[in-house]
Amino acid sequence: MPQRHSKNQGNMGSMITYHERQKIKDGTHRVRFGVDSQLSFGYCCLSLTPVKDPVVTPSGHMYSREYMLEYLLTKKQEAKRQQALFEAQEAHRQAEEAEQAAATADEAVKAFVSGQTALGAAEPERKRQRTSSAVDAEVELEEKKAAVAELSKAVGTRSTKTDLKRTSYWVPEFTPVHREEKAKPPPERPPSPMTGQPLRMKDLYDVDLQEDDATSGSLDKKYICAVSHKQITFQPAVLLRKAKKVILESMYKDLVAPTMICPITGDKLRKKDIIRLAKSGSSFSAAGSVQSEKYSHTTT
């Protein structure tokens, strides 16, 4: 007799089918990036449009100068605001610590004075007779404490707490707790938009891209190698800093690497004069990560 394989999921079986699970978007979902989702060569990493007055960072990412300068200015303004918040937070913290230290010192003085006073004028305390009502009140208080302690016990073990926190979020132990966010000191230099590494103005290298005449009138502009005049699409490319020209990495290996002489200007090159540009993405798996995953759990 044919059976639905979805009934074999788990010890107790599944109440919904695979199709139903996909409809409610439960579980892991994978999406493959198309070529339209990848950044083409010669496009700004900030504006996602063809570069204008291009500059390259040490990581090999290309930007339009206008958008990069605007980004750096915005980050510097954010750093100033963050520095002001951090200084105000530190001043408030130091004031609280000084106030707490003063309060502790006052309590120590008061305790010392009261102790000295009690030595001279101490009177024996009278023993109070415990009534039945007092005993009942103490018993009730102990029962309340025991009940609170029983309800306050940790739920689950270390291995099951993660699942319980996701499925049994109403348990008091798993309710979210507000934590005051503390301002952090701002970085000394603004981070790079793509890598997060510190970035300086002098780390922006000028680029003289050579546009392909066949795409000069279209919105999807393409650029060519300064040596071979081949169109650069998904091939790896390098920037010659001194010449400000972009060539294919294959041309670099064949012509530049053996002698370290620039084929355009004839100048001697060093390793720091060669910037490997970020490779443009494609929808092929050889281009790198072309798939995105997201897990969402909607059923319990």
Side-chain angles (χ1 to χ4, degrees), residues 2 10 24 71 123 140 225 233 261 272:
I24 64 175
Y71 168 81
E123 294 182 1
E140 185 178 358
C225 172
T233 52
I261 300 296
K272 67 178 184 178

Side-chain angles (χ1 to χ4, degrees), residues 44-286:
C44 174
C45 294
L46 290 174
S47 64
L48 307 181
T49 56
V51 290
K52 297 179 180 179
D53 192 9
V55 293
V56 170
T57 58
S59 62
H61 293 90
M62 197 175 299
Y63 306 89
S64 296
R65 186 183 299 275
E66 176 186 358
Y67 292 102
M68 174 52 73
L69 295 180
E70 183 180 355
Y71 168 81
L72 293 177
L73 178 61
T74 302
K75 286 300 179 181
K76 286 183 178 180
Q77 293 174 349
E78 290 179 358
K80 288 183 180 180
R81 291 193 293 267
Q82 188 176 353
Q83 181 66 27
L85 291 175
F86 179 73
E87 291 177 356
Q89 173 185 284
E90 289 299 305
H92 181 68
R93 182 182 61 81
Q94 293 177 2
E96 284 185 347
E97 290 179 354
E99 184 179 353
Q100 186 176 2
T104 304
D106 291 343
E107 289 179 1
V109 171
K110 289 180 181 179
F112 176 77
V113 172
S114 61
Q116 295 296 324
T117 305
L119 290 175
E123 294 182 1
E125 297 182 358
R126 297 180 179 179
K127 296 182 179 180
R128 299 179 179 179
Q129 296 181 354
R130 300 176 63 185
T131 60
S132 59
S133 60
V135 174
D136 295 340
E138 289 183 1
V139 172
E140 185 178 358
L141 181 61
E142 292 296 331
E143 290 179 353
K144 287 183 178 180
K145 288 182 178 180
V148 170
E150 182 67 24
L151 294 175
S152 302
K153 286 184 178 179
V155 178
T157 60
R158 181 178 297 181
S159 60
T160 60
K161 275 188 176 182
T162 303
D163 295 335
L164 287 173
K165 189 174 182 179
R166 174 171 53 82
T167 59
S168 305
Y169 47 85
W170 56 83
V171 178
E173 185 179 354
F174 301 142
T175 53
V177 179
H178 172 70
R179 295 181 181 179
E180 184 180 358
E181 296 184 0
K182 295 184 179 179
K184 298 180 180 179
E188 296 181 1
R189 296 169 184 164
S192 173
M194 298 299 291
T195 62
Q197 297 298 322
L199 192 63
R200 301 174 295 179
M201 284 291 297
K202 66 179 184 179
D203 292 335
L204 303 179
Y205 308 129
D206 296 335
V207 185
D208 184 13
L209 285 176
Q210 190 170 348
E211 188 176 339
D212 191 354
D213 295 335
T215 61
S216 59
S218 64
L219 297 177
D220 187 16
K221 294 184 178 181
K222 300 295 182 182
Y223 303 91
I224 61 175
C225 172
V227 175
S228 65
H229 298 285
K230 291 182 179 180
Q231 190 179 95
I232 304 176
T233 52
F234 307 120
Q235 313 97 309
V238 298
L239 168 67
L240 305 179
R241 281 180 51 190
K242 289 187 176 181
K244 302 179 182 179
K245 295 293 185 179
V246 175
I247 64 174
L248 291 171
E249 189 172 356
S250 58
M251 292 292 103
Y252 166 74
K253 292 180 179 179
D254 295 338
L255 301 178
V256 182
T259 60
M260 292 303 289
I261 300 296
C262 180
I264 300 172
T265 62
D267 296 334
K268 184 70 176 178
L269 299 177
R270 294 175 291 180
K271 288 186 177 180
K272 67 178 184 178
D273 296 327
I274 309 299
I275 306 297
R276 283 178 168 79
L277 301 180
K279 186 179 176 182
S280 59
S282 69
S283 58
F284 295 99
S285 59

